[in-house]
Short mmCIF file of all heavy atoms in Angstrom, two decimals:
data_model
loop_
_atom_site.label_atom_id
_atom_site.label_comp_id
_atom_site.label_asym_id
_atom_site.label_seq_id
_atom_site.Cartn_x
_atom_site.Cartn_y
_atom_site.Cartn_z
N PHE A 204 97.65 29.17 80.84
CA PHE A 204 97.03 30.04 81.85
C PHE A 204 97.99 30.33 83.00
O PHE A 204 97.88 31.37 83.65
CB PHE A 204 95.73 29.41 82.37
CG PHE A 204 94.54 29.71 81.50
CD1 PHE A 204 94.16 28.83 80.50
CD2 PHE A 204 93.82 30.87 81.66
CE1 PHE A 204 93.08 29.11 79.67
CE2 PHE A 204 92.73 31.17 80.86
CZ PHE A 204 92.37 30.27 79.85
N SER A 205 98.93 29.43 83.24
CA SER A 205 99.96 29.69 84.25
C SER A 205 100.84 30.86 83.80
O SER A 205 101.23 31.70 84.62
CB SER A 205 100.82 28.46 84.47
OG SER A 205 100.07 27.40 85.01
N ILE A 206 101.11 30.93 82.50
CA ILE A 206 101.89 32.05 81.96
C ILE A 206 101.10 33.35 82.11
O ILE A 206 101.64 34.38 82.54
CB ILE A 206 102.25 31.80 80.47
CG1 ILE A 206 103.25 30.65 80.36
CG2 ILE A 206 102.82 33.07 79.83
CD1 ILE A 206 103.57 30.25 78.94
N ILE A 207 99.80 33.30 81.78
CA ILE A 207 98.97 34.51 81.83
C ILE A 207 98.76 35.00 83.26
O ILE A 207 98.93 36.18 83.57
CB ILE A 207 97.59 34.24 81.15
CG1 ILE A 207 97.78 33.93 79.67
CG2 ILE A 207 96.66 35.45 81.33
CD1 ILE A 207 96.54 33.41 78.99
N ILE A 208 98.39 34.08 84.16
CA ILE A 208 97.99 34.47 85.52
C ILE A 208 99.15 34.46 86.51
O ILE A 208 99.13 35.20 87.49
CB ILE A 208 96.85 33.55 86.02
CG1 ILE A 208 95.63 33.67 85.09
CG2 ILE A 208 96.45 33.90 87.44
CD1 ILE A 208 94.96 35.03 85.10
N VAL A 209 100.14 33.62 86.26
CA VAL A 209 101.26 33.50 87.21
C VAL A 209 102.50 34.25 86.71
O VAL A 209 103.03 35.12 87.41
CB VAL A 209 101.62 32.02 87.47
CG1 VAL A 209 102.78 31.92 88.46
CG2 VAL A 209 100.40 31.27 88.02
N PHE A 210 102.93 33.94 85.50
CA PHE A 210 104.21 34.49 85.03
C PHE A 210 104.14 35.97 84.67
O PHE A 210 105.06 36.73 84.97
CB PHE A 210 104.72 33.69 83.83
CG PHE A 210 106.11 34.05 83.42
CD1 PHE A 210 107.20 33.69 84.20
CD2 PHE A 210 106.34 34.77 82.24
CE1 PHE A 210 108.49 34.03 83.83
CE2 PHE A 210 107.62 35.12 81.87
CZ PHE A 210 108.71 34.75 82.67
N ILE A 211 103.04 36.40 84.03
CA ILE A 211 102.93 37.82 83.65
C ILE A 211 102.90 38.74 84.88
O ILE A 211 103.64 39.74 84.91
CB ILE A 211 101.70 38.06 82.73
CG1 ILE A 211 101.96 37.41 81.36
CG2 ILE A 211 101.42 39.55 82.56
CD1 ILE A 211 100.82 37.53 80.37
N PRO A 212 102.09 38.44 85.92
CA PRO A 212 102.20 39.25 87.14
C PRO A 212 103.59 39.19 87.77
O PRO A 212 104.08 40.20 88.30
CB PRO A 212 101.15 38.63 88.07
CG PRO A 212 100.16 38.03 87.16
CD PRO A 212 100.96 37.52 86.01
N PHE A 213 104.23 38.02 87.70
CA PHE A 213 105.59 37.89 88.23
C PHE A 213 106.55 38.79 87.45
O PHE A 213 107.44 39.43 88.04
CB PHE A 213 106.05 36.44 88.16
CG PHE A 213 107.44 36.21 88.69
CD1 PHE A 213 107.71 36.32 90.05
CD2 PHE A 213 108.48 35.90 87.83
CE1 PHE A 213 108.99 36.13 90.55
CE2 PHE A 213 109.77 35.71 88.32
CZ PHE A 213 110.02 35.82 89.68
N LEU A 214 106.37 38.85 86.13
CA LEU A 214 107.18 39.73 85.29
C LEU A 214 106.95 41.19 85.67
O LEU A 214 107.90 41.99 85.72
CB LEU A 214 106.85 39.49 83.82
CG LEU A 214 107.84 40.02 82.77
CD1 LEU A 214 109.20 39.38 82.94
CD2 LEU A 214 107.31 39.77 81.37
N LEU A 215 105.69 41.54 85.95
CA LEU A 215 105.34 42.90 86.39
C LEU A 215 106.05 43.22 87.70
O LEU A 215 106.55 44.35 87.89
CB LEU A 215 103.82 43.02 86.55
CG LEU A 215 103.29 44.36 87.10
CD1 LEU A 215 103.62 45.51 86.16
CD2 LEU A 215 101.79 44.28 87.35
N ILE A 216 106.10 42.25 88.59
CA ILE A 216 106.79 42.43 89.88
C ILE A 216 108.28 42.68 89.66
O ILE A 216 108.86 43.59 90.26
CB ILE A 216 106.57 41.21 90.79
CG1 ILE A 216 105.09 41.11 91.22
CG2 ILE A 216 107.47 41.27 92.02
CD1 ILE A 216 104.73 39.81 91.88
N VAL A 217 108.90 41.86 88.80
CA VAL A 217 110.33 42.00 88.53
C VAL A 217 110.64 43.37 87.93
O VAL A 217 111.57 44.06 88.36
CB VAL A 217 110.82 40.88 87.58
CG1 VAL A 217 112.25 41.13 87.13
CG2 VAL A 217 110.72 39.53 88.27
N ILE A 218 109.84 43.78 86.94
CA ILE A 218 110.05 45.09 86.30
C ILE A 218 109.82 46.22 87.30
O ILE A 218 110.61 47.18 87.35
CB ILE A 218 109.11 45.25 85.07
CG1 ILE A 218 109.48 44.25 83.98
CG2 ILE A 218 109.16 46.68 84.53
CD1 ILE A 218 108.47 44.17 82.85
N SER A 219 108.76 46.11 88.11
CA SER A 219 108.46 47.15 89.11
C SER A 219 109.60 47.32 90.09
O SER A 219 110.03 48.44 90.38
CB SER A 219 107.16 46.80 89.86
OG SER A 219 106.05 46.80 89.00
#
Side-chain angles (χ1 to χ4, degrees):
F204 275 94
S205 295
I206 291 175
I207 296 169
I208 300 294
V209 180
F210 188 71
I211 290 178
F213 180 70
L214 197 61
L215 176 63
I216 292 168
V217 171
I218 294 170
S219 296

